[in-house]
Amino acid sequence: MTNPNSRNRNETGKGAPAQLKVLRKSVYLRVGMVFLIVALTIILVFALTVAWYVNVVQSSNLNFTAETWNFTGEIDVENPVFSAAPGDNGVVSMSLKNDSSSLVAASVTVSKAQLNDDMRDKLFFYVDTTATRNSETVERVYISSSASYTYTIFPFGEIAMTDHTYNAARIMWEWPYDTLGYYVLGTVTPTRLPDIDEYLRPIEYEYDEQNTTFNSAGELLTIDGVTPATDFLVELSQTDGYRGVIDPGAAVSGYYPVDVDANGYGVWAYFCTYAEIQSNNRISTELGENNADIGSVQLQVIGQNSREEGISVSSPAELTAVLYQDGLHMVRMEQDIELSQSIQVGSNTGIMIDMQGHTLTSTASTVIDAKPGSNVMLYNGTLDGANQAETAIYASGGVVTLNGVTIENVEEGLKIFDNENNSNMDSTIRLFDCKIMCETDGLWIKGNGAKSEKKTVVVIENCEMMGEGYAGLLCNGTYYGCDIRVSGDSKISGKYAGIYFPTKDSTLTVENSTIEGYTGLVVKGGSVEVNNSVIIGIGERNDPDPDALSQSGWTDTGDGVYLEANYTNWLTDIRISGENTRVVSMNAEAVRMCPDGLDTASITITGGSFSSVVGYFNKDTHELVQFADDVYVVRAK
């Protein structure tokens, strides 16, 4: 049968093209290029006690502990020295572990003051996440010595930001292939030369010799032969995160005011001339050929301690009053609080609530509503819907982090509906050590689809999540674009499916976890990886009809892993690996695909044990060995 409680409808869509990208035209730049070395100096300043402590760690130390400067935690920096060349980008791989019993809000900035002069306008740093800045949606958050990004480190928690493992938005570096323009912080007046303090972020467009045009003075006219540079700049200013809209008529010495004061100091935008672009290309080549020493970059982390800087609240009025203030606020609940209205967290507001083991009860339809650009963090407590709330947490373009939180007595635990916000922002959801028990769904996700190039990110570590009436974790095929990672001994279960994943242009990773449902894991789109995990289907056997598959919902087969491959307009693949993986069906197939043999869908098994005979492995490199009536193992030959 086809599941009658359909929560998904499939529609096709095309990804929106990037407005700002670099056309790698100058291939000759890479000929003979020697990678440059950039050294990162890490300055960590944490207000974890009454005093602040500072320590500069030499870049040769790959690993170090924070005890050396009185921070009760550990820091790992994987790449304090990294290679760079024009067109490259990468991750500043690091992790922060908090061994204290206090929440910490850690703000990260970057200083390029120690860089070679020729590199200050070529190397930039950003955090790989969408956000709201000054009521504008930015696709990434550029950080500098004057612009920060704030992370939250939970008590005894860890933030990992590496190439392969990350549970928070990563800090990235980039060297644009062509230096075409930039935002700067400095003073520009008609009577003197520009005085630049810092290069904040690059300006990128489709630059090539055939279409980009310049006037006789070498000043940029059109970025593509059609779009005037000034029109492009006005459009760019609507999503740059700075206040105001650029007025092309107010340029001074080629610099366009973005956010400046009466003395000409502030943020300016600048397009490089044709001669400057060529000169920058030449400088980049010479830097590489000479293996130049280009200096170091300083990352500074400043922390706030919730124990010393948090606001104590004991009533609904005290709690909601905090939300009328912009900025990040740290709150401590001193007792249980009951609400009759939803907590609305606005776009310029962040709230960190240390629940201290207490319960926040609400009879509103939504307990917490995280608006686009908001930041919600809850620790150590319970959200109780009093059997009246429909949703504990609703987020559309917000950042939500829960650590040690129980959600109960609600229909649905979390609704992440990024498709419903007009700013096209993508949510980031992080769940650690949580227990989410709901009447219908534990977590329901709708991405932004073609509206955004980014993805809705969901990280689930060491959590128990159950949807008693439908699914533990439920996605939507129409609104795609998700990156979901389940790990750390998590258990996700649901009445009809543990996880339903019909989502194209999306990824799902299940590692060291257990998924259980009538059908354990149902896939209809995207790329899925199962590693060292247990997948269990407990329902009665129901063989799907390949000629009668629904475009909405899925067939309740009772399988462990079931790929319903009737979404033939996008690619779907499942990879199952790990010697500790077990895929079990009580009454049906361990692994099944219907219809089978399509070019657009695939299952690849390289390891694990299964409750029935499986195929989907390379018979030249692997074999299926039967150890008991219901134990079949795929292993390498």
Side-chain angles (χ1 to χ4, degrees):
M1 63 179 179
T2 298
N3 194 304
N5 302 306
S6 174
R7 307 292 290 275
N8 173 70
R9 180 172 58 86
N10 170 46
E11 294 178 359
T12 59
K14 296 181 179 179
Q19 293 181 344
L20 308 177
K21 65 180 181 178
V22 177
L23 182 64
R24 297 190 173 188
K25 64 170 190 64
S26 305
V27 178
Y28 67 88
L29 274 178
R30 284 204 176 273
V31 177
M33 174 64 73
V34 178
F35 278 19
L36 306 180
I37 302 300
V38 180
L40 287 179
T41 301
I42 314 297
I43 300 179
L44 299 150
V45 187
F46 276 86
L48 285 181
T49 61
V50 176
W52 288 15
Y53 298 90
V54 181
N55 186 61
V56 178
V57 181
Q58 299 299 319
S59 61
S60 59
N61 291 346
L62 294 179
N63 299 292
F64 56 92
T65 61
E67 280 83 5
T68 57
W69 39 272
N70 298 315
F71 168 59
T72 54
E74 298 177 358
I75 308 287
D76 285 326
V77 181
E78 291 189 0
N79 61 342
V81 178
F82 60 88
S83 300
D88 285 349
N89 63 14
V91 178
V92 180
S93 292
M94 61 185 298
S95 62
L96 297 170
K97 184 178 181 181
N98 182 7
D99 288 339
S100 77
S101 60
S102 176
L103 277 87
V104 174
S107 297
V108 181
T109 58
V110 173
S111 172
K112 298 187 289 184
Q114 302 303 316
L115 276 180
N116 181 308
D117 288 344
D118 289 327
M119 283 301 300
R120 292 180 188 173
D121 63 349
K122 297 177 179 62
L123 190 65
F124 298 92
F125 291 80
Y126 64 90
V127 178
D128 191 20
T129 186
T130 57
T132 296
R133 295 291 187 269
N134 294 305
S135 300
E136 296 178 350
T137 301
V138 295
E139 290 293 323
R140 54 178 60 169
V141 179
Y142 281 94
I143 56 177
S144 61
S145 63
S146 59
S148 66
Y149 184 84
T150 300
Y151 294 94
T152 301
I153 311 175
F154 281 96
F156 306 108
E158 181 175 2
I159 289 180
M161 299 176 288
T162 67
D163 282 306
H164 305 293
T165 302
Y166 52 99
N167 54 25
R170 296 174 296 179
I171 300 173
M172 312 288 292
W173 60 267
E174 67 167 341
W175 183 350
Y177 199 75
D178 293 305
T179 303
L180 305 174
Y182 26 71
Y183 282 67
V184 301
L185 179 66
T187 302
V188 181
T189 67
T191 59
R192 65 177 185 178
L193 293 175
D195 183 9
I196 307 303
D197 293 338
E198 188 173 17
Y199 294 88
L200 302 176
R201 57 162 289 176
I203 294 177
E204 301 176 78
Y205 55 86
E206 294 188 6
Y207 169 66
D208 66 80
E209 298 285 354
Q210 299 299 319
N211 295 317
T212 304
T213 60
F214 301 83
N215 63 19
S216 58
E219 299 168 331
L220 184 65
L221 288 179
T222 71
I223 63 171
D224 54 11
V226 177
T227 306
T230 52
D231 289 357
F232 167 76
L233 193 58
V234 170
E235 181 180 354
L236 175 63
S237 74
Q238 297 172 357
T239 58
D240 60 12
Y242 296 103
R243 291 186 298 177
V245 177
I246 293 175
D247 178 6
V252 178
S253 301
Y255 287 82
Y256 297 87
V258 179
D259 183 9
V260 301
D261 62 21
N263 298 317
Y265 177 78
V267 179
W268 297 79
Y270 180 76
F271 283 121
C272 293
T273 65
Y274 180 79
E276 288 170 335
I277 293 173
Q278 301 307 306
S279 175
N280 286 327
N281 288 346
R282 176 182 54 78
I283 291 171
S284 294
T285 303
E286 292 175 353
L287 286 170
E289 290 176 346
N290 296 328
N291 195 22
D293 178 7
I294 62 175
S296 64
V297 175
Q298 292 181 337
L299 292 177
Q300 185 179 61
V301 184
I302 301 177
Q304 292 177 286
N305 186 321
S306 65
R307 289 287 174 86
E308 295 167 9
E309 303 182 46
I311 303 170
S312 294
V313 298
S314 301
S315 68
E318 290 176 346
L319 176 58
T320 55
V322 177
L323 301 177
Y324 288 102
Q325 309 169 39
D326 287 351
L328 177 65
H329 304 285
M330 308 176 82
V331 174
R332 296 192 312 273
M333 285 177 55
E334 302 296 344
Q335 64 182 38
D336 294 349
I337 295 177
E338 295 184 9
L339 299 173
S340 59
Q341 295 181 337
S342 175
I343 295 177
Q344 304 285 323
V345 186
S347 61
N348 293 317
T349 302
I351 184 167
M352 298 170 56
I353 304 178
D354 185 349
M355 305 176 79
Q356 300 193 114
H358 296 299
T359 298
L360 179 62
T361 302
S362 176
T363 57
S365 61
T366 300
V367 180
I368 297 176
D369 186 348
K371 303 295 185 182
S374 65
N375 197 330
V376 176
M377 290 154 277
L378 304 179
Y379 171 70
N380 186 24
T382 299
L383 285 182
D384 191 329
N387 292 315
Q388 297 184 54
E390 295 179 3
T391 305
I393 297 177
Y394 173 88
S396 185
V399 177
V400 176
T401 307
L402 307 183
N403 187 298
V405 173
T406 296
I407 294 177
E408 60 188 14
N409 298 322
V410 295
E411 289 188 14
E412 288 165 321
L414 296 95
K415 280 185 179 179
I416 316 304
F417 282 13
D418 286 347
N419 63 303
E420 292 187 348
N421 72 76
N422 295 325
S423 60
N424 299 332
M425 294 190 66
D426 301 277
S427 293
T428 298
I429 311 300
R430 300 188 298 155
L431 309 176
F432 307 105
D433 302 313
C434 294
K435 185 176 182 180
I436 302 173
M437 311 300 287
C438 304
E439 296 176 12
T440 306
D441 305 309
L443 176 58
W444 187 4
I445 306 167
K446 291 184 179 180
N448 252 330
K451 294 180 180 179
S452 171
E453 295 179 3
K454 298 284 186 177
K455 295 184 184 298
T456 300
V457 175
V458 177
V459 176
I460 302 171
E461 293 186 11
N462 195 33
C463 293
E464 183 179 356
M465 182 182 297
M466 182 175 184
E468 296 179 353
Y470 198 70
L473 192 157
L474 173 72
C475 296
N476 184 280
T478 302
Y479 304 106
Y480 51 90
C482 301
D483 178 5
I484 302 171
R485 299 187 291 277
V486 181
S487 64
D489 199 27
S490 292
K491 181 177 181 180
I492 299 179
S493 59
K495 179 177 181 179
Y496 293 107
I499 296 179
Y500 175 48
F501 193 73
T503 318
K504 79 166 184 175
D505 294 338
S506 300
T507 58
L508 167 65
T509 302
V510 179
E511 189 167 12
N512 298 316
S513 296
T514 300
I515 312 299
E516 180 179 307
Y518 188 108
T519 306
L521 171 60
V522 180
V523 179
K524 295 184 73 168
S527 181
V528 176
E529 182 170 351
V530 176
N531 182 39
N532 288 322
S533 294
V534 178
I535 314 295
I536 305 174
I538 64 174
E540 295 300 319
R541 183 184 187 96
N542 180 38
D543 294 326
D545 182 352
D547 298 321
L549 298 175
S550 173
Q551 288 295 309
S552 183
W554 70 94
T555 306
D556 291 315
T557 62
D559 298 330
V561 174
Y562 173 53
L563 195 166
E564 192 160 273
N566 60 324
Y567 287 2
T568 56
N569 54 334
W570 59 59
L571 298 177
T572 304
D573 69 276
I574 299 175
R575 299 180 303 281
I576 300 174
S577 63
E579 62 180 14
N580 294 322
T581 288
R582 289 193 299 119
V583 183
V584 176
S585 171
M586 300 299 187
N587 304 294
E589 301 298 321
V591 180
R592 180 174 358 196
M593 177 166 59
C594 181
D596 208 345
L598 298 178
D599 292 337
T600 55
S602 65
I603 299 174
T604 303
I605 299 175
T606 58
S609 65
F610 304 85
S611 61
S612 63
V613 174
V614 294
Y616 310 113
F617 61 90
N618 187 333
K619 293 179 174 57
D620 293 332
T621 59
H622 290 75
E623 61 182 354
L624 182 68
V625 180
Q626 183 177 3
F627 287 92
D629 289 343
D630 56 355
V631 179
Y632 299 84
V633 174
V634 173
R635 65 186 185 186
K637 289 183 176 180

